[in-house]
Amino acid sequence: MSWQTAVVISVLFFSALIAITLAAFAWRRQEIPASKPFILLTLALAWWSVFYAFEVAATTLPQMIWWGKWQYVGITILPVGWLLFALVYAGGDRWLSWRRTAVLCIVPVVAIVLAFTNDLHHQFWTSYEAATAGGFSTYDASYGIGWYIYFVYAYLLMLIGSVALLRALRNFAAVYRWQLVLLLLSPLLPWISNGLYVLRISPVPQLDLAPFAFTISAVILGTGILRFNLFTLLPVARTAVIDSMSEAMLVLDSTNRIVDMNPAARALFRIEDDPIGQPVLGVLGAWSEAVQAYVDTAVASEEITLDIGDSTQHFHLNISPIANQRGQTQGRLVLLRDITMMKQAEEALAMAQVKTEFLAKVGHELRTPLNGIMGLAEMLEYGVYGDISAEQQDVLLQIIARTQHLTGLVNDVLEQTRLESGQFSLDIRPFTPFDVVNTLRDTVNQMITRKELTLLTEIDPDLPEVLLGDAKRVYQIMLNLVDNAIKFTDAGKIELRLMASDSAHWAIVVSDTGIGIPQAMQHDIFNAFQQAHYEITRTHEGVGLGLAIVHQLVQLMDGTISVASTEGVGTTFTVTLPMALEEIPA
Amino acid sequence: MKKATALIVEDDPTLVQIFAKALEAAGFETQTAKTGETAWQLLQQYVPSVLVLDLHLPGLSGRDVLLRVRGDGRFAKTRIVIASADAELAESLHDQVDLVLEKPVSFHQLRQLSSRLNPTGLLGPEPPRPK
C-alpha cells in the first residue's frame, strides 16, 4: 500500500468518524424535528466514506467494483436525507409525510438494485477499467442511462433543498443568517467536487473528492450545531412568533416610517391598509399625542394608557433601538403589551384587601362590646348581683338571645370575609367526631329547648373513633346546619347523623321537620347573602351566610354538599367529606 | 384548703368584671391586670393556677406575656386560657395554651370551663336561682 493510499483511507475513516459523531449528537436531541433527517444524512455520509475507503484499499478491479457498488447505498440515501433535513429546517415539513418520503426513496432504491445487478444489464455502468492516479489504484467507469437518471434525480433533490433554505432566508433574522450560510455552503462542496469528478476536471481525476468534501460539510454542520445552536434555534419560528404573539409590535426606521407591524398591532389599532413604508404619525394619527410623546425616545419601558374605541386601555410600552452590526442605530422596536386586565385585577384585589381588613377590624371591635353586653346580662340572669324576678329573667334571656344572634351575624360576616379573602387554611389534626357532636349538643341545647324541639344525634358504629381533619371547621359545618334547621323548624325534630359512606368518605346528615325549601330556591341557597332575596328572611332572621359558609368550608375540605327538601315536610342536608385517618406509626 | 388563684389579663373593664365573676363562681380567687407589664409584675410575686390572657393589650402584648410565662419553669403547672377577638392569632397559639376562647366569651362558658381547670375542685357558692 502506497503512503498516498494510507493517507486517503485515513481521511475517509476520519470523515466517517465525524459523521457518526454528529449522528450520535443528533440522536440525543431527538425532540428536535430536524434531528431525524440529520441522522439519516450523516449516516449516509459515513457509509459512503467507509466503503470508499474499502474501495481505495482494494487491490483488484473486481474488489474495487464490489466496494463501489456498496458505496451506492450511502450515495443514494444522502440526497434524500439532505432534502428532508432542509425541508424540516426551513419549516416546509408540513408537506412531508411517510408516504411522500417513501416516494422520494423509489429512485434511490432502484439505483441501488441497478448498481448491484449491473452485470446482468450494464445500464448503470457500461464499462470499468483499472487506473492509477496520484500513487494509488482505482478504476475508471463509463456510466449508463440508469446512472444518469439517478444523477439528475440526486441533484434535483439537492437543488430543491437548497431553494427551500434560500426561500426561508428572507424570514430569518440576522442572528440566524450565519447558520443558513453554513448550511448552504455544506452541500455545495460535495456537489462541486462530485461534479468535477464526473466531468473529469478534478485535480486528481480518478479520485472522487465528494467524501472529503462531505467531511468538510460535516465539520461545518457540526460547528453550526455546537456553536450556533443550529438545532435548538429553528429560524422559521421567528416569523411565527411575531405573527402569533399577543404583544403589538412595530418596527420603525430612523425617519419614523413603519418597517414592520405584526397582526396584533394591526388589530389593536384597527389598521386595514398596508402600513409598511408609511410614516407612523400618519398611520397612528388617532393617537398622535401619544406618538408625539415618544417620537424621539430611543429607550423606554413604562406603562401608558390609550383610548381605543370607547375604552381606556392600559399598556406596557417598550421601546428599544435597533442597531446594525457596526452599532449604528437604524430604527426602533416598539412593543405594546395590553395590561388592562392585570390593572383591573390589581385594583379589584386592592379594594378587596381594604374591604377585608376593614371588615376584620370592625368585627374585632364589635366583639368586645358584644362580649360585655352578653356577659353582664348572663351575670344578672345567673343571680351574681342578687335575686331577680321571673319577668326580669325573661327580659335578660331575650337580651342574651338577641346578643347571641348578633354575635352569630358578626362571626358569619367575618368568616365569610376570611373565606373570600383566600387567607383561610384548614388546621388538620386528629379529632373525635363523638366529642364534636357532644359540644354541639351543649351549644344548641338551649335553642332546642326554647323552641320545644327534639334533637336526635346518631353516630354510625362503622365510623372510625378518630378522624383527621379540622375539628373546629367540622363543628362549624354541623353547627351552621343544625342552627339553620332549628331556625326553620317550628315543631318536630332535628336529626344529626354521622355516617361512614364508604371506605373513603364520611357524611354529616342533618334533617329537620321544618318548612322546607321551595324548589326554585334550592339552587341558590349556598350562595352568600342569597337568603336576603327571599320573603323568608322577614320571619326567619339571618343574612343568609350560614349555608354559604358551610358550602365554602365543604369545598375547602374537598367534600360535597347536597340538599333534599319538600315544602311543609322537611329538609335534609348531606355533607360528604373525604375520610382521612391518622397514620398509626408501625 | 386554700383557694386556687387566677390572674385575668384584660384591658376592657367590663370583660374584667365578667371574667372575674365567672372565675370566682368557679371557685377561684382572682387578681386582674390591665396591661401586660402589670401582669408580668404580678407574676413575679405568685404563680396562679389559671391565667386568662387577652392578646391585644397596650404595651407588652398578651403574646409576649405568654412567651415569658412559657419560658419560665415556675409556671409549668399554670393553665393558660386565651380569650381573644382575634381568632386567627388565637388559633395560631393553640399548641402553647390549654384553652382558646374566642370573644365573645360567655360568662357561663368561662365559668364551666374554668371550674374544670380548678385544681382544688372547690366550687364557689352556687348563687340562688330565682324561681
Side-chain angles (χ1 to χ4, degrees), chain A residues 518-570:
Chain A
Q519 195 68 36
M521 199 178 143
Q522 288 183 14
H523 195 64
D524 286 333
I525 50 168
F526 298 119
N527 295 334
F529 303 106
Q530 205 60 48
Q531 220 184 85
H533 292 307
Y534 294 92
E535 190 81 14
I536 207 156
T537 321
R538 294 193 196 147
T539 44
H540 301 270
E541 292 160 337
V543 285
L545 282 175
L547 289 178
I549 290 169
V550 168
H551 186 216
Q552 289 168 87
L553 287 174
V554 168
Q555 281 183 327
L556 268 175
M557 294 176 182
D558 294 324
T560 56
I561 183 164
S562 62
V563 60
S565 183
T566 311
E567 274 188 85
V569 178

Side-chain angles (χ1 to χ4, degrees), chain B:
Chain B
M1 198 180 201
K2 211 183 156 202
K3 267 193 175 181
T5 52
L7 174 61
I8 299 158
V9 191
E10 167 65 62
D11 61 330
D12 185 288
T14 310
L15 296 195
V16 167
Q17 186 188 350
I18 297 162
F19 292 175
K21 288 289 178 194
L23 282 156
E24 281 160 21
F28 287 89
E29 196 166 87
T30 60
Q31 288 221 50
T32 59
K34 286 188 175 149
T35 65
E37 283 84 358
T38 321
W40 188 242
Q41 278 166 19
L42 283 171
L43 288 170
Q44 301 313 302
Q45 294 158 24
Y46 81 117
V47 177
S49 308
V50 170
L51 175 64
V52 179
L53 198 56
D54 183 19
L55 292 176
H56 290 282
L57 293 169
L60 190 69
S61 77
R63 197 179 175 169
D64 297 330
V65 174
L66 175 65
L67 278 176
R68 290 189 185 185
V69 169
R70 276 294 174 240
D72 191 329
R74 290 186 298 138
F75 305 106
K77 284 186 178 171
T78 298
R79 314 296 288 268
I80 302 176
V81 180
I82 285 181
S84 172
D86 189 337
E88 274 170 79
L89 179 59
E91 269 173 51
S92 72
L93 299 170
H94 193 280
D95 290 340
Q96 300 172 45
V97 300
D98 295 279
L99 266 178
V100 173
L101 300 177
E102 257 179 61
K103 284 179 186 172
V105 178
S106 144
F107 168 78
H108 296 301
Q109 189 188 12
L110 185 59
R111 182 178 59 83
Q112 280 159 6
L113 288 172
S114 46
S115 68
R116 286 186 212 163
L117 296 179
N118 190 337
T120 63
L122 286 178
L123 285 180
E126 188 82 358
R129 307 274 325 212
K131 293 268 178 284

Side-chain angles (χ1 to χ4, degrees), chain A residues 298-326:
Chain A
V299 181
S301 175
E302 53 205 58
E303 287 179 11
I304 60 164
T305 51
L306 292 177
D307 290 316
I308 290 174
D310 301 332
S311 61
T312 299
Q313 293 185 25
H314 300 266
F315 294 92
H316 185 265
L317 170 75
N318 199 304
I319 301 177
S320 45
I322 299 171
N324 65 12
Q325 281 163 330
R326 276 164 292 173

Side-chain angles (χ1 to χ4, degrees), chain A residues 364 367 371 378 385 388 472, chain B residues 17 85 91 102 105 107 130:
Chain A
H364 292 152
R367 277 178 169 172
N371 201 160
E378 281 175 333
Y385 297 104
I388 53 168
K472 194 177 161 186
Chain B
Q17 186 188 350
E91 269 173 51
E102 257 179 61
V105 178
F107 168 78

